Amino acid sequence: MARQSMREEIVDAAVAQFHSKGYNAAGVKDITDAAGTPKGSFYNHFESKESLAVVALERYGASRRLQDLAASDIAPLVRLRKHFEFLRDETVDAGFARGCLIGNFGAEVADHSETIRTGVRESLGHWASMISGALVEAQQAGTVRADLDPEKTARFLLNAWEGTLIAARSSRSGDAFDDFFDTAFGALLAPRPAQAQP
């Protein structure tokens, strides 16, 4: 039990260290120091920092509250908007720092590590599938245009969101978030107006 607890402490510390410093700047000793564990104990649980990074991505992904995107008691577009509002508020509360760990890893490490590139791709794929599911439900409810491709639109929203985070962090303002919500929910996902009958 103690060994499992130590592993969890290392993973939690890794998420925080990778998120605040980036992959390359967060050393194994930084992570074990933050976890309050001996550096030597790291290799009892992980083969490498790279393998820990993949687990950290999974832990971070679980904190994105993706399950809320499938909450059937809330209208699909409402839950989708609330999802991005939660992520926006988290960034604002952090002083426009850190951004998204998945996107950060994609920008910093994916070109240099096939293992992490795969982890980023799978994380984004799962996230997009949850968004796509909500969009399908919205189409079935008639609140989203029927001609939108849910999978492509979900990937587009994620790509737009990651770019929004970069802009918000660089400007230290919420203007990019306003642009995202206005365009995503005010235009792209707005219902098509009913055509006049001839």
Side-chain angles (χ1 to χ4, degrees):
M1 184 64 70
R3 288 175 63 86
Q4 180 66 18
S5 173
M6 190 176 292
R7 182 184 189 279
E8 294 304 301
E9 289 165 1
I10 291 171
V11 173
D12 288 341
V15 172
Q17 291 292 305
F18 287 145
H19 208 183
S20 62
K21 295 181 178 179
Y23 177 82
N24 291 315
V28 170
K29 188 173 188 308
D30 296 318
I31 293 167
T32 54
D33 284 352
T37 60
K39 183 179 179 182
S41 68
F42 176 90
Y43 295 100
N44 292 330
H45 303 282
F46 301 98
E47 293 181 1
S48 63
K49 186 173 87 165
E50 190 180 52
S51 64
L52 171 60
V54 173
V55 177
L57 270 177
E58 294 169 355
R59 178 67 55 85
Y60 177 79
S63 73
R64 302 301 80 207
R65 297 185 356 194
L66 299 184
Q67 69 278 6
D68 291 355
L69 290 168
S72 59
D73 58 328
I74 301 173
L77 283 187
V78 172
R79 76 179 89 124
L80 185 58
R81 185 178 184 106
K82 284 181 175 295
H83 173 69
F84 284 111
E85 288 174 344
F86 156 69
L87 299 176
R88 175 201 62 197
D89 294 346
E90 186 180 60
T91 301
V92 172
D93 291 345
F96 297 96
R98 297 185 311 207
C100 170
L101 184 62
I102 300 168
N104 294 351
F105 272 13
E108 181 187 5
V109 197
D111 287 344
H112 313 291
S113 165
E114 182 63 23
T115 299
I116 294 176
R117 187 181 74 81
T118 299
V120 168
R121 186 185 70 242
E122 290 176 351
S123 296
L124 290 173
H126 175 60
W127 193 356
S129 72
M130 296 298 290
I131 293 173
S132 177
L135 291 175
V136 168
E137 290 184 51
Q139 286 179 321
Q140 292 169 344
T143 54
V144 167
R145 288 168 28 204
D147 63 334
L148 280 183
D149 182 314
E151 293 181 1
K152 287 183 179 180
T153 303
R155 291 193 297 269
F156 175 80
L157 287 171
L158 274 187
N159 293 340
W161 179 253
E162 293 295 338
T164 294
L165 287 175
I166 292 171
R169 291 169 67 193
S170 62
S171 67
R172 290 288 193 265
S173 82
D175 292 346
F177 292 128
D178 293 340
D179 293 343
F180 175 85
F181 284 99
D182 288 347
T183 303
F185 294 95
L188 179 63
L189 299 180
R192 173 175 287 174
Q195 295 183 349
Q197 296 296 320

